[in-house]
Structures are given as C-alpha cells and as structure tokens.
Amino acid sequence: MLPKEVLIEVVRSAPLVSIDLIARRPDGAVLLGYRRNRPAQGFWFVPGGRILKGERMAEALVRIVRRELGEAVPVTGWRGAGVFEHLYDDNFAGVEGVGTHYVVLPHCLDVSADVVLAPDDQHDALQWFAVPELLARADVHPYTKAYFRTEGEGAA
C-alpha cells in the first residue's frame, strides 16, 4: 500500500484502474453499499476497489471480492461488463483541488438469494435494490446508475 502522500500525487497525476462488483440475486436485485469515504461519499454505490501496482486483474478481483463481499461470495464466475470512466472533483484524502479519474472494469456475478454479507469499513450498510428503484433514487450515485441505464442493450 502506498503512503497517503504518494497516493495523492498519483491521483493528481494519473488515472487509477479499478474493478466494480455488480452482484445480482435471482430476483434481479443488485447489491449496493452506502459509501463512508471519498469519492462518492454519502451515496449508494456498487462495491469495488482499485487494482494495485504489480497486481494482476484476476488477483485484484479475488482480493476485492473478499474484502468488499466476504467469504460467502464466489471469486470465480465473474463476467466483465465493459469499461467505464468515473471522474470526481474530490479524492480519497479530501485534498483541495485534486480530482480523481478512474478507469473502471465492472464485473458481474449472479449470487444466491440467501448469501450473507456484512459491510466492510468503507460502507455503513449493504442493501439489495431492484434496478428500477436504484435508478429512481437520488442517493444512488450516477456512476452506479450508468451500469443499469442501458440494460436492454447489454449492460450489467
């Protein structure tokens, strides 16, 4: 893990690459976490995390699934769902004038209806949302909504 001062210089200078996790139950509900930290603080957002330097994408996926969703969720069977960009005016540290640019590789997995999850230190809560509900809510982040706006056209 990079020291905060080094990571903020990376955020100031380059895009970060991350993986978002789109977990969906058989009834179509999607898992969202209520974000405790920046960016996207105070919004419902799909779980996810950045890929670390020297970490293969497959390794990052396993690490992120385990950290964000726990042991009950499989680390295999995830399907890529395209490439997205997320641009924020703020950053993880709250440093004024430093925005964050993510190149995001969302991955989808159908999970069982009885999977048991608990929020990690980045989320105050985890909750399942029907897609029409999450699209209608003001407290679901627009970048999360973007994964579902074009569902009929092959999105998550």
Coordinates of all heavy atoms in Angstrom, one line a residue, residues 59-152:
E59 N -6.1 -11.4 -9.7 CA -5.7 -11.3 -8.3 C -6.5 -10.2 -7.6 O -7.0 -10.3 -6.5 CB -4.2 -11.1 -8.1 CG -3.3 -12.2 -8.6 CD -1.9 -11.8 -8.7 OE1 -1.5 -10.6 -8.7 OE2 -1.1 -12.8 -8.8
A60 N -6.6 -9.0 -8.3 CA -7.3 -7.9 -7.7 C -8.8 -8.3 -7.5 O -9.4 -7.9 -6.5 CB -7.1 -6.7 -8.6
L61 N -9.3 -9.0 -8.5 CA -10.7 -9.3 -8.4 C -11.0 -10.2 -7.2 O -11.9 -9.9 -6.4 CB -11.2 -10.1 -9.7 CG -12.6 -10.6 -9.7 CD1 -13.6 -9.4 -9.6 CD2 -12.9 -11.4 -10.9
V62 N -10.1 -11.2 -6.9 CA -10.3 -12.0 -5.7 C -10.1 -11.2 -4.5 O -10.9 -11.3 -3.5 CB -9.2 -13.2 -5.8 CG1 -9.2 -13.9 -4.4 CG2 -9.5 -14.1 -6.9
R63 N -9.1 -10.3 -4.4 CA -8.9 -9.5 -3.2 C -10.1 -8.6 -2.9 O -10.6 -8.5 -1.8 CB -7.6 -8.7 -3.4 CG -7.3 -7.7 -2.2 CD -6.1 -6.9 -2.4 NE -6.1 -6.1 -3.7 CZ -6.8 -5.0 -3.9 NH1 -7.5 -4.4 -2.9 NH2 -6.7 -4.4 -5.1
I64 N -10.6 -8.0 -4.0 CA -11.7 -7.0 -3.8 C -13.0 -7.7 -3.5 O -13.7 -7.3 -2.6 CB -11.9 -6.2 -5.1 CG1 -10.6 -5.3 -5.3 CG2 -13.2 -5.4 -5.1 CD1 -10.5 -4.7 -6.7
V65 N -13.3 -8.9 -4.1 CA -14.4 -9.7 -3.7 C -14.4 -10.0 -2.2 O -15.3 -9.9 -1.5 CB -14.6 -10.9 -4.6 CG1 -15.6 -11.9 -4.0 CG2 -15.0 -10.6 -6.0
R66 N -13.2 -10.5 -1.8 CA -13.1 -11.0 -0.4 C -13.2 -9.8 0.6 O -13.9 -9.9 1.6 CB -11.7 -11.7 -0.2 CG -11.7 -13.1 -0.7 CD -12.7 -14.0 0.0 NE -12.8 -15.3 -0.6 CZ -13.9 -15.6 -1.2 NH1 -15.0 -14.9 -1.3 NH2 -14.0 -16.8 -1.8
R67 N -12.6 -8.7 0.3 CA -12.6 -7.5 1.2 C -14.0 -6.9 1.2 O -14.5 -6.5 2.2 CB -11.6 -6.5 0.7 CG -11.5 -5.3 1.7 CD -10.7 -4.1 1.3 NE -11.4 -3.4 0.2 CZ -11.0 -3.0 -0.9 NH1 -9.7 -3.1 -1.2 NH2 -11.7 -2.4 -1.8
E68 N -14.6 -6.7 0.0 CA -15.9 -6.0 -0.1 C -17.1 -6.9 0.2 O -18.1 -6.4 0.7 CB -16.0 -5.4 -1.5 CG -14.9 -4.4 -1.8 CD -15.2 -3.0 -1.4 OE1 -16.3 -2.6 -1.4 OE2 -14.2 -2.3 -1.0
L69 N -17.1 -8.2 -0.1 CA -18.2 -9.0 0.0 C -18.1 -10.2 0.9 O -19.1 -10.8 1.3 CB -18.6 -9.5 -1.4 CG -18.9 -8.5 -2.5 CD1 -19.2 -9.1 -3.8 CD2 -19.9 -7.5 -2.0
G70 N -16.9 -10.5 1.3 CA -16.6 -11.6 2.2 C -16.5 -13.0 1.6 O -16.5 -13.2 0.4
E71 N -16.4 -14.0 2.5 CA -16.1 -15.3 2.1 C -17.3 -16.1 1.5 O -17.1 -17.1 0.8 CB -15.6 -16.1 3.4 CG -14.3 -15.7 3.9 CD -13.2 -15.9 3.0 OE1 -13.1 -16.9 2.3 OE2 -12.3 -15.0 2.9
A72 N -18.5 -15.6 1.7 CA -19.7 -16.3 1.2 C -19.9 -16.1 -0.3 O -20.7 -16.8 -0.9 CB -20.9 -15.7 1.9
V73 N -19.2 -15.2 -0.9 CA -19.4 -14.9 -2.4 C -18.3 -15.6 -3.1 O -17.1 -15.4 -2.8 CB -19.4 -13.4 -2.6 CG1 -19.5 -13.1 -4.1 CG2 -20.6 -12.7 -1.9
P74 N -18.6 -16.3 -4.2 CA -17.6 -16.9 -5.0 C -16.6 -15.9 -5.7 O -17.0 -14.8 -6.0 CB -18.4 -17.7 -6.1 CG -19.8 -17.7 -5.6 CD -20.0 -16.6 -4.7
V75 N -15.4 -16.3 -5.9 CA -14.4 -15.5 -6.6 C -14.3 -15.9 -8.0 O -13.6 -15.3 -8.8 CB -13.0 -15.5 -5.9 CG1 -13.1 -14.9 -4.5 CG2 -12.5 -16.9 -5.8
T76 N -15.0 -17.0 -8.4 CA -15.0 -17.4 -9.8 C -16.4 -17.1 -10.4 O -17.4 -17.0 -9.7 CB -14.7 -18.9 -9.9 OG1 -15.6 -19.6 -9.2 CG2 -13.3 -19.2 -9.4
G77 N -16.4 -17.1 -11.7 CA -17.7 -16.9 -12.4 C -18.0 -15.4 -12.7 O -19.0 -15.2 -13.4
W78 N -17.2 -14.5 -12.3 CA -17.4 -13.1 -12.6 C -17.2 -12.8 -14.1 O -16.3 -13.3 -14.7 CB -16.5 -12.2 -11.7 CG -16.8 -12.2 -10.3 CD1 -16.4 -13.1 -9.3 CD2 -17.7 -11.3 -9.6 NE1 -16.9 -12.8 -8.1 CE2 -17.7 -11.7 -8.2 CE3 -18.4 -10.2 -10.0 CZ2 -18.5 -11.0 -7.3 CZ3 -19.2 -9.5 -9.0 CH2 -19.2 -10.0 -7.7
R79 N -18.1 -12.0 -14.7 CA -18.0 -11.7 -16.1 C -17.8 -10.2 -16.2 O -18.4 -9.4 -15.6 CB -19.4 -12.0 -16.8 CG -19.9 -13.4 -16.6 CD -21.3 -13.6 -17.2 NE -22.3 -12.6 -16.7 CZ -23.0 -12.7 -15.6 NH1 -22.7 -13.6 -14.7 NH2 -24.0 -11.8 -15.3
G80 N -16.8 -9.9 -17.1 CA -16.6 -8.5 -17.4 C -17.8 -7.8 -18.0 O -18.5 -8.4 -18.8
A81 N -18.0 -6.5 -17.7 CA -19.2 -5.8 -18.2 C -18.7 -4.5 -18.9 O -19.4 -3.5 -18.7 CB -20.1 -5.6 -17.1
G82 N -17.6 -4.5 -19.6 CA -17.2 -3.3 -20.3 C -16.2 -2.5 -19.6 O -15.5 -2.9 -18.6
V83 N -16.0 -1.3 -20.0 CA -15.1 -0.3 -19.5 C -15.8 1.0 -19.3 O -16.5 1.5 -20.2 CB -13.8 -0.1 -20.4 CG1 -12.9 0.9 -19.8 CG2 -13.1 -1.4 -20.6
F84 N -15.7 1.6 -18.1 CA -16.3 2.9 -17.8 C -15.3 3.9 -17.3 O -14.2 3.4 -16.8 CB -17.4 2.7 -16.8 CG -18.6 2.0 -17.2 CD1 -18.6 0.6 -17.5 CD2 -19.8 2.7 -17.5 CE1 -19.7 -0.1 -17.9 CE2 -20.9 2.0 -17.9 CZ -20.9 0.6 -18.1
E85 N -15.6 5.2 -17.3 CA -14.7 6.2 -16.7 C -15.5 6.9 -15.6 O -16.7 7.2 -15.9 CB -14.3 7.2 -17.8 CG -13.1 6.8 -18.6 CD -12.6 7.9 -19.4 OE1 -13.3 8.4 -20.3 OE2 -11.4 8.3 -19.2
H86 N -14.9 7.1 -14.5 CA -15.5 7.9 -13.4 C -14.6 9.0 -13.1 O -13.4 8.8 -12.8 CB -15.7 7.0 -12.2 CG -16.6 5.9 -12.4 ND1 -16.8 4.9 -11.4 CD2 -17.4 5.5 -13.4 CE1 -17.7 4.0 -11.8 NE2 -18.1 4.4 -13.0
L87 N -15.1 10.3 -13.2 CA -14.3 11.5 -12.9 C -15.0 12.2 -11.7 O -16.2 12.5 -11.8 CB -14.3 12.4 -14.1 CG -13.7 11.8 -15.4 CD1 -13.9 12.6 -16.6 CD2 -12.2 11.6 -15.2
Y88 N -14.2 12.4 -10.7 CA -14.6 13.1 -9.5 C -13.9 14.4 -9.3 O -12.7 14.4 -9.6 CB -14.4 12.2 -8.3 CG -15.2 10.9 -8.3 CD1 -14.5 9.7 -8.8 CD2 -16.5 10.8 -7.8 CE1 -15.2 8.5 -8.9 CE2 -17.1 9.6 -7.9 CZ -16.5 8.4 -8.4 OH -17.2 7.2 -8.5
D89 N -14.5 15.3 -8.7 CA -13.9 16.6 -8.3 C -13.0 16.5 -7.0 O -12.2 17.3 -6.8 CB -14.9 17.7 -8.1 CG -15.6 18.1 -9.4 OD1 -14.9 17.9 -10.5 OD2 -16.7 18.6 -9.4
D90 N -13.3 15.4 -6.2 CA -12.6 15.2 -5.0 C -11.7 14.0 -5.0 O -11.6 13.3 -6.1 CB -13.5 15.3 -3.8 CG -14.4 14.0 -3.7 OD1 -14.5 13.3 -4.7 OD2 -15.0 13.8 -2.6
N91 N -11.2 13.6 -3.9 CA -10.3 12.5 -3.8 C -10.4 11.8 -2.4 O -11.0 12.4 -1.5 CB -8.8 12.9 -4.1 CG -8.4 14.0 -3.1 OD1 -8.1 13.7 -1.9 ND2 -8.5 15.3 -3.5
F92 N -9.8 10.7 -2.3 CA -9.9 9.9 -1.0 C -9.4 10.6 0.2 O -9.9 10.4 1.3 CB -9.0 8.6 -1.2 CG -7.6 8.8 -1.0 CD1 -6.9 8.6 0.2 CD2 -6.8 9.2 -2.1 CE1 -5.5 8.8 0.3 CE2 -5.4 9.5 -2.0 CZ -4.8 9.3 -0.8
A93 N -8.5 11.6 0.0 CA -7.9 12.3 1.2 C -8.5 13.7 1.4 O -8.2 14.3 2.4 CB -6.4 12.5 1.0
G94 N -9.4 14.1 0.6 CA -10.0 15.4 0.7 C -9.1 16.6 0.4 O -9.4 17.7 0.9
V95 N -8.0 16.3 -0.3 CA -7.1 17.4 -0.7 C -7.7 18.3 -1.7 O -8.2 17.8 -2.7 CB -5.7 16.8 -1.2 CG1 -4.8 17.9 -1.7 CG2 -5.1 15.9 -0.1
E96 N -7.8 19.6 -1.4 CA -8.4 20.6 -2.2 C -7.8 20.6 -3.6 O -6.5 20.6 -3.7 CB -8.4 21.9 -1.5 CG -9.3 23.0 -2.1 CD -10.7 22.7 -1.9 OE1 -11.1 22.2 -0.8 OE2 -11.5 23.1 -2.7
G97 N -8.6 20.7 -4.6 CA -8.1 20.9 -6.0 C -7.6 19.7 -6.7 O -7.0 19.8 -7.8
V98 N -7.7 18.5 -6.1 CA -7.2 17.3 -6.7 C -8.4 16.4 -7.0 O -9.1 15.9 -6.1 CB -6.2 16.5 -5.8 CG1 -5.8 15.2 -6.4 CG2 -5.0 17.4 -5.5
G99 N -8.7 16.2 -8.3 CA -9.8 15.3 -8.7 C -9.3 13.9 -8.9 O -8.1 13.7 -8.9
T100 N -10.2 13.0 -9.0 CA -9.9 11.5 -9.2 C -10.4 11.1 -10.5 O -11.6 11.4 -10.8 CB -10.4 10.7 -8.0 OG1 -10.0 11.2 -6.8 CG2 -9.9 9.2 -8.1
H101 N -9.6 10.4 -11.3 CA -10.0 9.8 -12.5 C -9.8 8.3 -12.5 O -8.7 7.8 -12.2 CB -9.1 10.4 -13.7 CG -9.4 9.8 -15.0 ND1 -8.7 10.2 -16.1 CD2 -10.4 9.0 -15.5 CE1 -9.2 9.6 -17.2 NE2 -10.2 8.8 -16.8
Y102 N -10.9 7.6 -12.6 CA -10.9 6.1 -12.6 C -11.2 5.6 -14.0 O -12.1 6.0 -14.6 CB -11.9 5.5 -11.6 CG -11.6 5.6 -10.2 CD1 -12.2 6.5 -9.4 CD2 -10.8 4.6 -9.6 CE1 -11.9 6.6 -8.0 CE2 -10.5 4.7 -8.2 CZ -11.1 5.7 -7.4 OH -10.8 5.7 -6.1
V103 N -10.5 4.6 -14.4 CA -10.9 3.7 -15.5 C -11.4 2.4 -14.8 O -10.7 1.8 -14.1 CB -9.7 3.4 -16.4 CG1 -10.1 2.4 -17.5 CG2 -9.1 4.7 -17.0
V104 N -12.7 2.1 -15.0 CA -13.3 1.1 -14.2 C -13.7 -0.1 -15.1 O -14.2 0.0 -16.2 CB -14.6 1.7 -13.6 CG1 -15.3 0.6 -12.6 CG2 -14.3 3.0 -12.8
L105 N -13.4 -1.3 -14.5 CA -13.7 -2.5 -15.2 C -14.7 -3.3 -14.4 O -14.4 -4.0 -13.5 CB -12.4 -3.4 -15.3 CG -11.2 -2.7 -15.9 CD1 -9.9 -3.6 -15.7 CD2 -11.4 -2.3 -17.3
P106 N -16.0 -3.0 -14.6 CA -17.1 -3.7 -13.8 C -17.1 -5.1 -14.1 O -16.9 -5.5 -15.3 CB -18.3 -2.9 -14.2 CG -18.1 -2.3 -15.5 CD -16.6 -2.1 -15.6
H107 N -17.4 -5.9 -13.1 CA -17.6 -7.4 -13.3 C -18.9 -7.8 -12.6 O -19.3 -7.2 -11.6 CB -16.5 -8.1 -12.6 CG -15.2 -8.1 -13.4 ND1 -14.5 -7.0 -13.6 CD2 -14.6 -9.1 -14.1 CE1 -13.4 -7.3 -14.4 NE2 -13.5 -8.6 -14.7
C108 N -19.7 -8.7 -13.2 CA -21.0 -9.1 -12.8 C -21.0 -10.6 -12.3 O -20.2 -11.4 -12.9 CB -22.0 -9.0 -13.9 SG -22.2 -7.4 -14.6
L109 N -21.8 -10.9 -11.3 CA -22.0 -12.2 -10.9 C -23.4 -12.4 -10.3 O -23.9 -11.6 -9.6 CB -21.0 -12.6 -9.7 CG -21.0 -14.0 -9.2 CD1 -20.5 -15.0 -10.3 CD2 -20.3 -14.2 -7.9
D110 N -24.0 -13.5 -10.7 CA -25.3 -13.9 -10.2 C -25.0 -14.6 -8.9 O -24.2 -15.6 -8.9 CB -26.1 -14.8 -11.1 CG -26.4 -14.0 -12.4 OD1 -26.7 -12.8 -12.4 OD2 -26.4 -14.7 -13.5
V111 N -25.6 -14.2 -7.8 CA -25.4 -14.8 -6.5 C -26.7 -15.4 -5.9 O -27.8 -15.0 -6.4 CB -24.8 -13.8 -5.4 CG1 -23.4 -13.3 -5.9 CG2 -25.8 -12.7 -5.2
S112 N -26.6 -16.3 -5.0 CA -27.8 -17.0 -4.5 C -28.6 -16.0 -3.6 O -28.0 -15.0 -3.1 CB -27.4 -18.2 -3.6 OG -26.7 -17.8 -2.5
A113 N -29.9 -16.2 -3.5 CA -30.7 -15.3 -2.8 C -30.4 -15.3 -1.3 O -30.7 -14.3 -0.6 CB -32.2 -15.7 -3.0
D114 N -29.8 -16.3 -0.8 CA -29.5 -16.4 0.7 C -28.1 -16.0 1.1 O -27.7 -16.3 2.2 CB -29.9 -17.8 1.2 CG -29.1 -18.9 0.5 OD1 -28.4 -18.6 -0.4 OD2 -29.2 -20.0 1.0
V115 N -27.3 -15.5 0.2 CA -26.0 -15.1 0.5 C -26.0 -14.1 1.7 O -26.8 -13.2 1.7 CB -25.2 -14.6 -0.7 CG1 -25.7 -13.2 -1.2 CG2 -23.7 -14.4 -0.4
V116 N -25.1 -14.3 2.6 CA -25.0 -13.4 3.8 C -23.8 -12.5 3.6 O -22.7 -13.0 3.5 CB -24.9 -14.3 5.1 CG1 -24.7 -13.3 6.3 CG2 -26.1 -15.2 5.2
L117 N -24.0 -11.2 3.7 CA -23.0 -10.2 3.6 C -23.0 -9.3 4.8 O -24.0 -9.1 5.5 CB -23.2 -9.4 2.3 CG -23.4 -10.2 1.0 CD1 -24.0 -9.3 -0.1 CD2 -22.0 -10.7 0.6
A118 N -21.8 -8.7 5.0 CA -21.7 -7.7 6.1 C -20.9 -6.5 5.6 O -19.9 -6.7 4.8 CB -21.0 -8.3 7.3
P119 N -21.2 -5.3 5.9 CA -20.5 -4.1 5.4 C -19.0 -4.1 5.9 O -18.8 -4.6 7.0 CB -21.2 -2.9 5.9 CG -22.2 -3.4 7.0 CD -22.3 -4.9 6.8
D120 N -18.1 -3.7 5.1 CA -16.7 -3.5 5.5 C -16.5 -2.1 6.0 O -17.5 -1.4 6.2 CB -15.8 -3.8 4.3 CG -16.0 -2.8 3.1 OD1 -16.8 -1.9 3.2 OD2 -15.3 -3.0 2.1
D121 N -15.3 -1.7 6.2 CA -15.0 -0.4 6.8 C -15.3 0.8 5.9 O -15.2 1.9 6.3 CB -13.6 -0.3 7.4 CG -12.5 -0.5 6.3 OD1 -12.9 -0.9 5.1 OD2 -11.3 -0.3 6.6
Q122 N -15.6 0.5 4.6 CA -15.9 1.6 3.6 C -17.4 1.9 3.5 O -17.7 2.8 2.8 CB -15.3 1.2 2.3 CG -13.8 1.1 2.2 CD -13.3 0.8 0.8 OE1 -13.6 1.6 -0.1 NE2 -12.7 -0.4 0.7
H123 N -18.2 1.0 4.1 CA -19.6 1.1 3.9 C -20.3 1.1 5.2 O -20.0 0.3 6.1 CB -20.2 0.0 3.0 CG -19.5 -0.1 1.7 ND1 -18.5 -0.9 1.4 CD2 -19.8 0.6 0.5 CE1 -18.1 -0.7 0.1 NE2 -18.9 0.2 -0.4
D124 N -21.3 2.0 5.4 CA -22.2 2.0 6.6 C -23.2 0.9 6.5 O -23.7 0.4 7.5 CB -22.9 3.3 6.8 CG -21.9 4.4 7.3 OD1 -21.0 4.1 8.0 OD2 -22.1 5.6 6.9
A125 N -23.6 0.5 5.3 CA -24.6 -0.5 5.1 C -24.5 -1.1 3.7 O -23.9 -0.5 2.8 CB -26.0 0.1 5.3
L126 N -25.0 -2.4 3.6 CA -25.2 -3.0 2.3 C -26.6 -3.3 2.1 O -27.3 -3.6 3.1 CB -24.4 -4.3 2.2 CG -22.9 -4.3 2.3 CD1 -22.3 -5.7 2.4 CD2 -22.3 -3.5 1.1
Q127 N -27.1 -3.1 0.9 CA -28.6 -3.3 0.7 C -28.8 -3.7 -0.7 O -28.1 -3.3 -1.7 CB -29.3 -2.0 1.0 CG -30.8 -2.1 0.9 CD -31.5 -0.8 1.3 OE1 -31.1 -0.1 2.3 NE2 -32.5 -0.4 0.6
W128 N -29.8 -4.6 -0.9 CA -30.2 -5.0 -2.3 C -31.3 -4.1 -2.8 O -32.2 -3.7 -2.1 CB -30.8 -6.4 -2.2 CG -29.7 -7.4 -1.8 CD1 -29.5 -7.9 -0.5 CD2 -28.8 -8.1 -2.6 NE1 -28.5 -8.8 -0.5 CE2 -28.0 -8.9 -1.8 CE3 -28.5 -8.0 -4.0 CZ2 -27.0 -9.7 -2.3 CZ3 -27.5 -8.8 -4.5 CH2 -26.7 -9.6 -3.6
F129 N -31.1 -3.7 -4.1 CA -32.1 -2.8 -4.7 C -32.5 -3.4 -6.0 O -31.7 -3.9 -6.8 CB -31.4 -1.4 -5.1 CG -31.0 -0.6 -3.9 CD1 -29.8 -0.8 -3.2 CD2 -31.9 0.4 -3.5 CE1 -29.5 0.0 -2.1 CE2 -31.6 1.3 -2.4 CZ -30.4 1.1 -1.7
A130 N -33.8 -3.3 -6.3 CA -34.3 -3.6 -7.6 C -33.8 -2.5 -8.6 O -33.7 -1.3 -8.2 CB -35.9 -3.6 -7.6
V131 N -33.5 -2.8 -9.8 CA -32.9 -1.8 -10.7 C -33.8 -0.6 -10.9 O -33.3 0.5 -10.8 CB -32.6 -2.5 -12.1 CG1 -32.2 -1.4 -13.1 CG2 -31.4 -3.5 -11.9
P132 N -35.2 -0.8 -11.1 CA -36.0 0.5 -11.3 C -35.9 1.4 -10.0 O -35.9 2.6 -10.1 CB -37.4 -0.1 -11.5 CG -37.2 -1.4 -12.0 CD -35.9 -2.0 -11.4
E133 N -35.8 0.8 -8.8 CA -35.7 1.5 -7.6 C -34.4 2.3 -7.6 O -34.3 3.5 -7.3 CB -35.8 0.6 -6.4 CG -35.6 1.4 -5.1 CD -35.5 0.5 -3.9 OE1 -35.5 -0.8 -4.0 OE2 -35.5 1.0 -2.7
L134 N -33.3 1.6 -7.8 CA -32.0 2.3 -7.7 C -31.9 3.4 -8.8 O -31.3 4.5 -8.5 CB -30.8 1.4 -7.8 CG -30.4 0.7 -9.1 CD1 -29.5 1.6 -10.0 CD2 -29.6 -0.6 -8.8
L135 N -32.5 3.2 -9.9 CA -32.5 4.3 -11.0 C -33.3 5.5 -10.5 O -33.0 6.6 -11.0 CB -33.0 3.7 -12.3 CG -32.1 2.7 -13.0 CD1 -32.8 2.1 -14.2 CD2 -30.7 3.4 -13.4
A136 N -34.3 5.3 -9.7 CA -35.2 6.4 -9.3 C -34.6 7.2 -8.1 O -35.1 8.3 -7.8 CB -36.6 5.8 -9.0
R137 N -33.7 6.6 -7.4 CA -33.3 7.2 -6.1 C -32.2 8.3 -6.3 O -31.2 8.1 -7.0 CB -32.7 6.2 -5.2 CG -33.8 5.2 -4.7 CD -33.3 4.2 -3.7 NE -32.7 4.8 -2.5 CZ -33.0 4.4 -1.3 NH1 -33.8 3.5 -1.1 NH2 -32.3 5.0 -0.3
A138 N -32.3 9.4 -5.6 CA -31.3 10.5 -5.7 C -30.1 10.1 -4.9 O -29.0 10.7 -5.2 CB -31.9 11.8 -5.1
D139 N -30.1 9.2 -4.0 CA -28.9 8.9 -3.2 C -28.2 7.7 -3.8 O -27.2 7.2 -3.1 CB -29.3 8.6 -1.7 CG -30.3 7.5 -1.5 OD1 -30.9 7.0 -2.5 OD2 -30.5 7.1 -0.3
V140 N -28.5 7.2 -4.9 CA -27.7 6.2 -5.7 C -26.8 7.0 -6.6 O -27.3 7.9 -7.4 CB -28.5 5.2 -6.4 CG1 -27.7 4.3 -7.3 CG2 -29.3 4.3 -5.4
H141 N -25.5 6.8 -6.6 CA -24.6 7.6 -7.4 C -24.9 7.5 -8.9 O -25.1 6.4 -9.4 CB -23.2 7.3 -7.1 CG -22.2 8.3 -7.5 ND1 -21.8 8.4 -8.8 CD2 -21.6 9.3 -6.8 CE1 -20.9 9.4 -8.9 NE2 -20.8 10.0 -7.7
P142 N -24.8 8.6 -9.7 CA -25.0 8.5 -11.1 C -24.1 7.5 -11.8 O -24.5 6.8 -12.8 CB -24.7 9.9 -11.6 CG -24.9 10.8 -10.4 CD -24.6 10.0 -9.2
Y143 N -22.8 7.3 -11.3 CA -22.0 6.3 -12.0 C -22.5 4.9 -11.7 O -22.3 4.0 -12.6 CB -20.5 6.4 -11.5 CG -19.8 7.7 -12.0 CD1 -19.0 8.4 -11.2 CD2 -20.1 8.1 -13.3 CE1 -18.3 9.5 -11.6 CE2 -19.4 9.3 -13.7 CZ -18.5 10.0 -12.9 OH -17.9 11.1 -13.4
T144 N -23.1 4.6 -10.6 CA -23.7 3.3 -10.4 C -24.9 3.1 -11.3 O -25.1 2.1 -12.0 CB -24.1 3.1 -8.9 OG1 -22.9 2.9 -8.2 CG2 -25.0 1.9 -8.7
K145 N -25.7 4.2 -11.4 CA -26.9 4.1 -12.3 C -26.5 3.9 -13.7 O -27.2 3.2 -14.5 CB -27.7 5.4 -12.2 CG -28.4 5.6 -10.9 CD -29.1 7.0 -10.9 CE -29.8 7.2 -9.5 NZ -30.6 8.5 -9.5
A146 N -25.4 4.4 -14.1 CA -24.9 4.2 -15.5 C -24.8 2.7 -15.9 O -24.9 2.4 -17.1 CB -23.6 4.9 -15.8
Y147 N -24.5 1.9 -14.9 CA -24.3 0.4 -15.2 C -25.7 -0.2 -15.6 O -25.7 -1.2 -16.3 CB -23.8 -0.3 -14.0 CG -22.4 0.0 -13.6 CD1 -22.0 0.1 -12.3 CD2 -21.4 0.2 -14.6 CE1 -20.7 0.4 -11.9 CE2 -20.1 0.6 -14.2 CZ -19.7 0.7 -12.9 OH -18.5 1.0 -12.5
F148 N -26.8 0.4 -15.3 CA -28.1 -0.2 -15.5 C -29.0 0.6 -16.4 O -30.1 0.1 -16.7 CB -28.8 -0.3 -14.1 CG -27.9 -1.1 -13.1 CD1 -27.1 -0.4 -12.2 CD2 -27.8 -2.4 -13.2 CE1 -26.3 -1.1 -11.3 CE2 -26.9 -3.2 -12.4 CZ -26.2 -2.5 -11.4
R149 N -28.6 1.8 -16.8 CA -29.5 2.6 -17.7 C -29.8 2.0 -19.0 O -30.8 2.2 -19.6 CB -28.9 4.0 -17.9 CG -29.0 4.8 -16.7 CD -29.4 6.2 -17.0 NE -29.9 6.9 -15.9 CZ -29.1 7.7 -15.1 NH1 -27.9 7.8 -15.3 NH2 -29.7 8.2 -14.0
T150 N -28.8 1.2 -19.5 CA -29.0 0.6 -20.9 C -29.1 -0.9 -20.8 O -28.6 -1.6 -21.7 CB -27.8 1.0 -21.8 OG1 -26.6 0.6 -21.2 CG2 -27.8 2.5 -22.0
E151 N -29.7 -1.4 -19.8 CA -29.8 -2.9 -19.6 C -30.3 -3.6 -20.8 O -29.8 -4.7 -21.1 CB -30.6 -3.3 -18.4 CG -29.9 -3.1 -17.1 CD -30.4 -4.0 -16.0 OE1 -31.6 -4.3 -15.9 OE2 -29.5 -4.5 -15.2
G152 N -31.2 -3.1 -21.5 CA -31.7 -3.8 -22.7 C -30.7 -3.8 -23.8 O -30.8 -4.6 -24.7

